Amino acid sequence: MIQLIRGFKDILPGEVERWQQIEKIAASRFEDFGFKEIRIPMMERTELFARSIGEDTDIVEKEMYTFPDRKGDLITLRPEATASVVRSYVQHKMFAKDPVQKFYTIGPMFRRERPQKGRYRQFYQINVEVFGVASPLIDVQLIFMLVTLFTRLAVADLKAHINSLGCPACRPNYRAALSKFLAAISNKLCSDCRRRRRRNPLRVLDCKVPSCREVLAEAPSIIDYLCDYCQEDFAKVQEFLKKLQIPFLVDKRLVRGLDYYTRTTFEIQTGSLGAQSAVAGGGRYDGLVKMLGGPDLPATGFAIGLDRLAEVAEIRHSEFIRMPDLFVAALGEQSQDKAFEWICQFGRQGLVAEMDFEDRSLKSQMKRADKIGATHVLIVGDQELQEGAVILRNMLTKEQTLIPIKEVVDRVKTYIKREAQ
Ligand code: AMP
């Protein structure tokens, strides 16, 4: 038997409805806040990710699915969506019409990480990006939108972790202080970090190796090095999070070690996830639009890990699993033919209707109706056809109603819809 690739997974019916429901609620929440959907390709030129994510990151160094296509061009299965959304914003000169653009996108990402619970090689993200707004209030709005969405999806034990990464004016001082600290502890760092320490010391703070994380707990905090402007900006973020009653924690370990990331960065964590506690992460990346060939415009955004969200969203099954509204139990060839026409008509009218195609006994058809959870059964046989009326049975109350065959589709529909109210 051929099995799926390690780190990949199927999302089966029963589970997929939960995903659909989350996607639907998220999309409608984002649209309420003025976001529009954008769809971007699953593959891009490798260069796009190498340049935007950064050459000496875990993702680019060892996690990308990169291969030459038949002509030898290097292409990569996207490990994240931001780079593609920025590329699209720049390529289509969307900024010319209005620099302020707000997008969301949902889809799979690919990273060749070590698979474990909550970490897959193909995983799904819901991404949100805002272009052209420099105010820290938009970062607050993103965090607010995330937290309210997660609350709506009944995710327990939520906390927003926030930090500021400063700006090109204040970061060099911090970089110098951090370099000094890293030089002193360099023998305790992993080999990747020893190399990164010289090329991009901020990167070291991103390392996932536990021994590195331990020694880095003592690293200087960027908060102590922020310039006046960045301090004010970060204070405003905190002031408005408090105003909007969003619980948060200033977390100096939260960094994205890339030069184009600026000021606010955040992660939403939940206690229900165990080790992989981050269910969403994001922040400001003011330098990226320019870096990818566009004008110097600010940008900010976040990514939700949909796999992890589906695991912790406590929305009830009854909210999204659709049971069949109707099972048509048909006895005899003529009734079967009629039943088939009806289930097609019911489907067109928005009722989920099933039947048995094997012409089994009434008893076994009723059993099947019960097994698939049909709320109603329509019983039709030769006698009913002759008399011009069929029996509609409510499986819960056992109530039976006679329905004239001539108007069966309309009458059953009205009956079931009225009961559902
Ligand atoms: P990142 O793009 O690394 O900032 O990740 C954003 C979110 O995507 C994280 O908070 C996770 O919830 C999710 N995520 C990242 N990598 C994986 C993965 N390999 N498997 C499942 N979810 C992931």
Side-chain angles (χ1 to χ4, degrees):
M1 187 189 33
I2 300 172
Q3 304 244 347
L4 48 65
I5 312 169
R6 199 164 113 83
F8 287 63
K9 66 175 178 188
D10 300 316
I11 307 159
L12 305 177
E15 175 62 4
V16 93
E17 291 84 350
R18 176 182 295 278
W19 286 58
Q20 288 172 335
Q21 189 71 3
I22 293 172
E23 289 168 12
K24 214 157 65 185
I25 294 172
S28 107
R29 174 62 49 106
F30 300 153
E31 280 162 20
D32 288 346
F33 279 84
F35 288 81
K36 300 218 159 40
E37 185 175 1
I38 184 170
R39 296 192 186 190
I40 42 173
M42 220 103 76
M43 284 200 270
E44 298 271 3
R45 290 173 198 282
T46 303
E47 201 191 332
L48 175 70
F49 301 116
R51 252 214 274 167
S52 62
I53 300 172
E55 296 280 2
D56 35 30
T57 55
D58 278 353
I59 294 182
V60 174
E61 272 176 359
K62 46 192 176 200
E63 295 172 359
M64 292 203 307
Y65 284 93
T66 296
F67 44 89
D69 76 358
R70 283 171 187 267
K71 279 194 171 161
D73 296 329
L74 270 191
I75 51 177
T76 294
L77 280 171
R78 63 180 184 191
E80 58 115 48
T82 304
S84 302
V85 179
V86 175
R87 186 220 17 88
S88 179
Y89 176 75
V90 172
Q91 179 170 350
H92 302 288
K93 294 196 171 52
M94 290 191 237
F95 48 81
K97 199 162 148 221
D98 182 355
V100 181
Q101 302 277 347
K102 297 156 76 172
F103 302 117
Y104 72 90
T105 190
I106 304 177
M109 309 294 153
F110 304 84
R111 291 182 200 170
R112 206 175 184 289
E113 293 188 82
R114 204 167 57 78
Q116 53 180 268
K117 189 170 159 33
R119 196 188 284 166
Y120 312 99
R121 290 181 168 177
Q122 175 175 336
F123 59 99
Y124 293 76
Q125 283 188 343
I126 308 181
N127 274 80
V128 162
E129 318 289 350
V130 182
F131 295 99
V133 185
S135 165
L137 294 186
I138 201 80
D139 299 304
V140 173
Q141 196 184 32
L142 291 184
I143 297 171
F144 178 75
M145 203 164 77
L146 264 175
V147 171
T148 56
L149 170 67
F150 290 166
T151 308
R152 161 73 185 84
L153 294 171
V155 180
D157 198 5
L158 283 172
K159 191 114 207 170
H161 288 230
I162 62 167
N163 196 11
S164 172
L165 298 181
C167 67
C170 53
R171 200 167 318 139
N173 289 339
Y174 174 65
R175 221 177 129 114
L178 181 64
S179 290
K180 207 167 139 199
F181 170 83
L182 294 176
I185 55 148
S186 91
N187 57 342
K188 293 186 183 140
L189 295 173
C190 71
S191 56
D192 281 344
C193 282
R194 258 179 263 153
R195 179 171 41 79
R196 286 175 190 147
R197 174 174 82 80
R198 293 177 195 282
R199 284 168 59 164
N200 188 347
L202 264 85
R203 259 280 158 265
V204 175
L205 297 172
D206 247 358
C207 182
K208 290 178 197 138
V209 174
S211 55
C212 286
R213 295 207 72 90
E214 209 169 289
V215 286
L216 290 167
E218 299 301 319
S221 164
I222 190 157
I223 304 276
D224 300 328
Y225 291 82
L226 297 180
C227 62
D228 289 352
Y229 185 88
C230 287
Q231 262 179 32
E232 224 173 88
D233 184 278
F234 196 45
K236 198 153 191 174
V237 169
Q238 296 180 60
E239 179 195 337
F240 275 83
L241 283 176
K242 278 184 199 145
K243 271 193 186 155
L244 294 171
Q245 298 177 329
I246 302 293
F248 68 91
L249 178 88
V250 176
D251 181 350
K252 66 168 188 173
R253 280 170 53 149
L254 195 64
V255 287
R256 293 173 174 256
L258 287 177
D259 290 345
Y260 61 77
Y261 277 110
T262 48
R263 303 194 183 98
T264 308
T265 186
F266 56 88
E267 214 169 77
I268 311 293
Q269 301 194 359
T270 161
S272 348
L273 267 175
Q276 309 296 328
S277 59
V279 67
R284 197 157 263 289
Y285 50 93
D286 285 349
L288 189 57
V289 176
K290 186 167 180 218
M291 188 185 182
L292 292 178
D296 192 3
L297 286 169
T300 179
F302 63 72
I304 300 174
L306 188 47
D307 309 68
R308 293 184 195 172
L309 181 56
E311 230 176 90
V312 292
E314 302 248 336
I315 38 174
R316 288 188 312 275
H317 246 60
S318 58
E319 263 194 70
F320 52 82
I321 295 280
R322 217 172 147 193
M323 294 310 217
D325 296 298
L326 189 67
F327 184 90
V328 186
L331 296 160
E333 203 180 312
Q334 252 191 319
S335 304
Q336 285 266 311
D337 292 353
K338 241 340 173 224
F340 177 68
E341 270 177 54
W342 290 342
I343 63 159
C344 294
Q345 301 286 2
F346 283 127
R348 192 164 69 178
Q349 300 278 339
L351 289 186
V352 181
E354 300 285 355
M355 67 179 282
D356 182 284
F357 289 95
E358 310 292 329
D359 194 15
R360 275 182 270 249
S361 71
L362 181 62
K363 194 171 157 206
S364 64
Q365 292 198 40
M366 293 305 279
K367 248 196 197 157
R368 171 140 184 84
D370 203 41
K371 188 172 168 195
I372 64 172
T375 51
H376 298 80
V377 177
L378 195 67
I379 303 165
V380 54
D382 291 344
Q383 195 185 338
E384 282 78 12
L385 284 183
Q386 240 174 32
E387 288 170 6
V390 285
I391 298 162
L392 181 67
R393 182 180 165 92
N394 181 321
M395 295 293 274
L396 208 67
T397 62
K398 312 286 181 223
E399 194 189 356
Q400 304 210 134
T401 318
L402 222 51
I403 308 268
I405 283 180
K406 273 198 184 131
E407 306 162 38
V408 71
V409 175
D410 282 346
R411 289 280 293 273
V412 169
K413 184 180 160 198
T414 316
Y415 187 92
I416 292 180
K417 292 258 146 123
R418 197 172 49 222
E419 259 191 354
Q421 280 167 4

